[in-house]
Amino acid sequence: MEISLRSYQKEVVQVALSGENSIIWLPTGGGKTRAAVYVAKRHLETHPKAKVAVLVNKVHLVDQHYQNEFRPHLGHTVNIVAISGDSQEKDFFGRVVRDSDLVICTAQILENAMINTEEDKHVELTDFTLLIIDECHHTHKDAVYNKIMARYVKGKMEGARNLPQILGLTASPGTGGAKTQEGAVNHVLQICANLDSVIVSTKNYVPELRMVVPRPIKKYDIVDTRLFDPFGEHLKEMMRMIHGYMASGITFRKMGTQEYENDVVELEKKGVREENRLLAQCALHLRKYNDALLINDTVRMVDALRLLQDFYRTKSENRMDATDIFLSGLFEENQVELRLLTLDTQNENPKLAQLQRTLVEQFQDRNSRGILFSKTREGTRCLYDWVCANPALQSVDIRAAILTGAGNGANHMTQSGQKETIYRFRVGDLNLLISTSVAEEGLDIPECNVVVRYGLLTNEIAQQQASGRARAMDSVYSVVAWAGGREMRREKTNEYLEELTERAVAEVQRMEPEKFRRKVSELQRAAVIERYVACKRRDEKRKRYDPSQVQFICRGCFTPVAHGDDMRVVNNSQHVNVNPDFKNYYQVGGQVHLGRTFEDWEPGRVISCASCGLEWGFEVKLRKVVVLPCLKIKGFSMKTPQANHTAKQWKEVEFAVEEFDFTEYVSSCFLDLDLD
């Protein structure tokens, strides 16, 4: 199929067609992917032994790019393979790359393949001649795009030959948090350095671009401050009772805010470090009450109550001491009063009434299709329940579904579930997606004409991306927020930052080529040195303690359950306990279902502390033979000779974890059986 480009697209691909590295900056709906397809086609036609990789940062974009763009335009002449986490091809990625002309995959799959040493799985950057990086503004800090490009930059500085050409695609490089012109320029230069690319945009065909990508009509659907909230006030009174029970003298910031959550997160860490269970447990319960206040501020009172009921249903089964009895008793004593308060519809959240008016207005046209953005998975679930139970919304034939990020948690969608939901939205079976930020980037629904941001605090990139989801003519972009609230202030700030981004990019583009190259080289050298120093520090941190010196303590009840030398790492990702005595400390629950299969392991049952019930992870069955407990580091504190520590991720632990040796482990198990 012949690829036709608009004039502004022809303009922005010229640098790439000359073989130079470049970032194409076009707004959402401007046809960045089509431009990339054109570049890939020309590259494959003109380079001997050409091989192209298209990298994306969201699973659903693999299939979208394959089905909508690359296969229709290149599939008849080019061997294209699309690979995501649930594709069998990822298990033979190296071989697939060797046998293909173009692969489309998540960046993490490429990163894993570069680390893997097995011949059928391993690839090098030099195996490719062109690397197309979608949503390339994510090429910063520890993001997987930047890990890949760090190898590229290091190779370039070491004089490596045959590095691939780079083509980045973005709707906005953003300002990186900078509020000044100088800071924004430095951020754009850093993105250019990370991608070893110049940034290009249309100069000669701006009017054409504006015609192709009309800005949606922006509406601020403002809600007057909630004057009377007896349900929320009752929750706050219960929280104050917990404050009093702690008798700690700690000052907290305003309840029902992110700042309050930060305070109780730090309090829980303090309780764990000091093995003060009263502090740690009170902090956990206060965080759940704060979550309920945030839900009450976003959706219905009954949703906030259900959140607490679900939480206390698990807690009531594992009461260990006076603290547990007090905290569970407090909720049980107030539950009836809270339920009665939820029945008074006069006190319901007025933001929901405004959201209802907004949706009813926009869906008068039965062909409307929209996306409702909310901050959290829990928020999307509550909004979905509200939409389905709302007669006014059902009367305008709103057919809704939830779209959240793929992952392994209980509240995550499977990758196949994501694909199915997006497909049903695209063909019109559904007309409203209730989504977290997963739908902000890249989701290609040309018919989408309504975008509603509901109680969101995000940056200017996310705001532009969300706005760009409204692609049809006369689209509406609505912001539903409290009058004078933080969401409104952030939305206005983001509008300023969007303009600042444009000025910063323009300044970078005006730089003399020699000055630009010099600045990029300086930033690249600094990044290489910074990564080297950070790597040395990580290695030193991992060697701080001998594994046998580190004792694992259950974070819920402070029971010592394991040591660091009991731990092994499998596939550089799963951390298992190989000590057979560990089974005495945990209980098993229901089977874990992840919605996809894996080459050499499968999930087993949930495991949790036998004493307090805190979830620790789940069993893994390795090569259909060995079943071992796979642990989440957040379920434990680690007692070292100096102090107690907590970690969010395994990479933060202060001892080296040995690689799991399957043969050695199985041999030792059989030896133990022989001795018995």
Side-chain angles (χ1 to χ4, degrees):
M1 182 188 294
E2 189 60 36
I3 303 173
S4 62
L5 297 184
R6 299 179 188 275
S7 299
Y8 67 82
Q9 289 171 308
K10 291 176 182 175
E11 181 184 9
V12 297
V13 300
Q14 291 308 308
V15 175
L17 294 178
S18 71
E20 299 297 314
N21 293 353
S22 62
I23 299 166
I24 291 177
W25 174 42
L26 286 175
T28 299
K32 295 181 294 296
T33 311
R34 182 66 53 84
V37 173
Y38 185 84
V39 172
K41 182 175 187 291
R42 289 284 297 273
H43 182 89
L44 289 161
E45 290 170 346
T46 57
H47 288 70
K49 298 182 180 178
K51 199 170 294 290
V52 180
V54 180
L55 304 183
V56 300
N57 65 324
K58 300 271 174 65
V59 171
H60 65 263
L61 297 181
V62 173
D63 192 57
Q64 177 175 292
H65 285 348
Y66 175 70
Q67 298 287 357
N68 294 10
E69 292 290 347
F70 284 90
R71 188 177 69 168
H73 293 99
L74 303 181
H76 57 295
T77 57
V78 174
N79 184 8
I80 306 173
V81 180
I83 307 172
S84 58
D86 56 359
S87 306
Q88 296 298 320
E89 290 92 344
K90 76 178 189 303
D91 298 328
F92 308 98
F93 189 74
R95 191 191 302 174
V96 170
V97 167
R98 287 189 288 276
D99 295 342
S100 308
D101 300 313
L102 187 149
V103 295
I104 307 171
C105 64
T106 54
Q108 191 61 56
I109 286 177
L110 177 60
E111 171 69 8
N112 294 346
M114 288 194 288
I115 294 170
N116 202 302
T117 55
E118 294 181 40
E119 185 178 351
D120 279 348
K121 299 181 180 181
H122 181 71
V123 297
E124 298 283 349
L125 272 179
T126 49
D127 292 336
F128 302 98
T129 55
L130 172 63
L131 215 59
I132 298 173
I133 302 178
D134 192 31
E135 311 293 355
C136 70
H137 50 272
H138 291 297
T139 312
H140 63 96
K141 297 180 182 176
D142 289 328
V144 64
Y145 280 162
N146 212 27
K147 291 178 181 178
I148 292 168
M149 284 307 301
R151 290 185 178 84
Y152 181 102
V153 170
K154 186 171 181 286
K156 172 196 167 188
M157 296 186 69
E158 292 172 350
R161 299 169 62 83
N162 301 323
L163 288 169
Q165 179 185 345
I166 303 297
L167 176 62
L169 310 174
T170 184
S172 173
T175 68
K179 302 291 194 296
T180 65
Q181 177 88 1
E182 182 183 4
V185 166
N186 287 336
H187 171 73
V188 173
L189 283 169
Q190 186 66 64
I191 294 291
C192 290
N194 293 347
L195 287 154
D196 195 45
S197 299
V198 298
I199 185 165
V200 295
S201 57
T202 183
K203 301 296 180 192
N204 302 318
Y205 301 99
V206 174
E208 181 191 37
L209 177 60
R210 286 178 178 157
M211 284 183 62
V212 172
V213 189
R215 300 278 287 193
I217 302 160
K218 190 164 189 176
K219 288 179 60 197
Y220 286 103
D221 292 326
I222 304 307
V223 183
D224 289 336
T225 305
R226 195 174 187 172
L227 298 176
F228 194 53
D229 180 19
F231 180 86
E233 289 305 318
H234 198 95
L235 291 182
K236 290 176 184 176
E237 185 55 39
M238 294 167 71
M239 293 165 80
R240 283 189 279 268
M241 291 175 73
I242 298 174
H243 292 175
Y245 181 78
M246 289 190 295
S248 60
I250 297 169
T251 303
F252 295 95
R253 284 174 284 184
K254 185 180 178 183
M255 297 175 188
T257 64
Q258 185 65 50
E259 290 77 16
Y260 183 89
E261 178 175 320
N262 295 342
D263 290 344
V264 293
V265 165
E266 290 306 313
L267 179 63
E268 190 270 342
K269 290 179 185 174
K270 173 181 166 67
V272 170
R273 284 194 303 270
E274 298 174 357
E275 294 194 19
N276 182 333
R277 193 166 186 277
L278 186 151
L279 274 189
Q281 289 300 306
C282 286
L284 285 173
H285 287 244
L286 285 169
R287 183 175 183 181
K288 193 56 65 172
Y289 277 101
N290 197 61
D291 288 344
L293 284 174
L294 291 168
I295 288 289
N296 181 54
D297 186 60
T298 308
V299 275
R300 299 171 298 181
M301 295 179 285
V302 70
D303 296 311
L305 178 57
R306 183 180 61 189
L307 183 80
L308 291 171
Q309 288 171 330
D310 291 346
F311 176 72
Y312 280 100
R313 195 171 295 120
T314 61
K315 291 295 177 185
S316 62
E317 299 164 5
N318 296 285
R319 297 183 185 181
M320 293 189 61
D321 56 22
T323 299
D324 292 335
I325 293 168
F326 166 76
L327 292 168
S328 294
L330 178 66
F331 179 72
E332 288 167 5
E333 291 166 12
N334 286 272
Q335 187 174 187
V336 172
E337 178 65 23
L338 289 170
R339 190 182 297 115
L340 289 172
L341 288 170
T342 67
L343 298 176
D344 189 346
T345 55
Q346 289 185 337
N347 299 325
E348 199 53 272
N349 189 342
K351 259 201 311 197
L352 281 176
Q354 179 57 62
L355 179 60
Q356 176 183 309
R357 287 192 291 272
T358 298
L359 291 174
V360 167
E361 179 185 347
Q362 298 307 322
F363 279 84
Q364 289 300 315
D365 179 351
R366 294 304 171 98
N367 294 316
S368 285
R369 221 168 295 178
I371 305 176
L372 170 58
F373 285 105
S374 184
K375 181 180 178 183
T376 64
R377 289 187 181 90
E378 183 64 32
T380 61
R381 184 169 73 111
C382 296
L383 284 168
Y384 174 77
D385 290 345
W386 170 75
V387 167
C388 292
N390 188 299
L393 299 182
Q394 295 308 304
S395 71
V396 292
D397 194 30
I398 288 182
R399 305 179 301 280
I402 294 170
L403 180 66
T404 58
N408 297 335
N411 293 324
H412 290 72
M413 292 186 79
T414 62
Q415 293 175 11
S416 58
Q418 277 190 335
K419 286 181 183 177
E420 173 69 15
T421 298
I422 291 167
Y423 172 77
R424 291 182 64 206
F425 185 61
R426 184 169 281 127
V427 300
D429 290 348
L430 302 169
N431 58 9
L432 180 67
L433 290 182
I434 304 173
S435 180
T436 53
S437 60
V438 68
E440 282 174 348
E441 291 185 333
L443 190 59
D444 181 24
I445 312 290
E447 300 83 5
C448 186
N449 64 315
V450 180
V451 166
V452 181
R453 282 166 64 81
Y454 186 71
L456 278 179
L457 289 167
T458 55
N459 63 21
E460 73 283 3
I461 297 176
Q463 179 174 313
Q464 284 177 264
Q465 297 277 14
S467 171
R469 294 307 117 215
R471 299 272 291 279
M473 290 298 292
D474 301 321
S475 294
V476 172
Y477 171 78
S478 168
V479 179
V480 179
W482 296 117
R486 290 194 300 173
E487 298 100 326
M488 273 295 300
R489 294 197 297 273
R490 180 68 63 85
E491 199 77 19
K492 293 293 187 183
T493 299
N494 287 343
E495 289 175 9
Y496 162 71
L497 293 177
E498 193 175 333
E499 296 171 7
L500 185 60
T501 299
E502 292 179 9
R503 294 201 302 271
V505 171
E507 184 172 328
V508 169
Q509 290 174 332
R510 287 195 301 269
M511 289 175 71
E512 292 293 327
E514 183 57 36
K515 182 181 178 184
F516 173 81
R517 283 193 293 270
R518 189 167 61 249
K519 183 63 177 174
V520 162
S521 294
E522 288 171 6
L523 290 169
Q524 289 176 336
R525 279 194 296 273
V528 168
I529 293 168
E530 188 178 310
R531 277 190 285 269
Y532 174 78
V533 171
C535 186
K536 289 273 287 183
R537 284 178 181 157
R538 278 196 303 271
D539 288 344
E540 289 168 6
K541 183 178 179 181
R542 287 197 191 102
K543 297 172 184 173
R544 192 165 294 169
Y545 300 107
D546 185 277
S548 63
Q549 294 179 293
V550 181
Q551 190 175 38
F552 275 59
I553 313 289
C554 173
R555 196 160 175 165
C557 60
F558 305 145
T559 302
V561 295
H563 284 85
D565 54 359
D566 297 330
M567 303 307 302
R568 299 291 185 272
V569 61
V570 184
N571 298 329
N572 205 36
S573 61
Q574 296 165 316
H575 292 77
V576 298
N577 188 313
V578 297
N579 188 333
D581 294 334
F582 183 64
K583 65 178 180 294
N584 299 322
Y585 296 102
Y586 69 82
Q587 58 193 5
V588 295
Q591 175 67 34
V592 174
H593 299 282
L594 300 181
R596 57 192 177 110
T597 58
F598 303 87
E599 181 188 14
D600 51 8
W601 71 277
E602 57 190 84
R605 297 167 294 180
V606 172
I607 63 171
S608 55
C609 177
S611 298
C612 70
L614 179 68
E615 188 178 317
W616 285 348
F618 57 86
E619 300 168 318
V620 291
K621 190 173 187 178
L622 303 171
R623 303 189 193 179
K624 302 187 183 298
V625 175
V626 174
V627 178
L628 290 169
C630 179
L631 305 183
K632 296 189 296 188
I633 194 64
K634 289 193 285 188
F636 304 89
S637 66
M638 288 157 286
K639 182 182 282 188
T640 68
Q642 268 67 49
N644 273 1
H645 300 275
T646 59
K648 285 184 177 180
Q649 297 175 298
W650 274 98
K651 66 182 180 181
E652 298 171 13
V653 302
E654 298 179 304
F655 64 94
V657 182
E658 275 186 52
E659 191 74 29
F660 178 72
D661 188 318
F662 182 84
T663 305
E664 178 187 297
Y665 180 81
V666 172
S667 300
S668 68
C669 289
F670 280 117
L671 182 61
D672 290 342
L673 287 172
D674 290 342
L675 290 173
D676 291 343

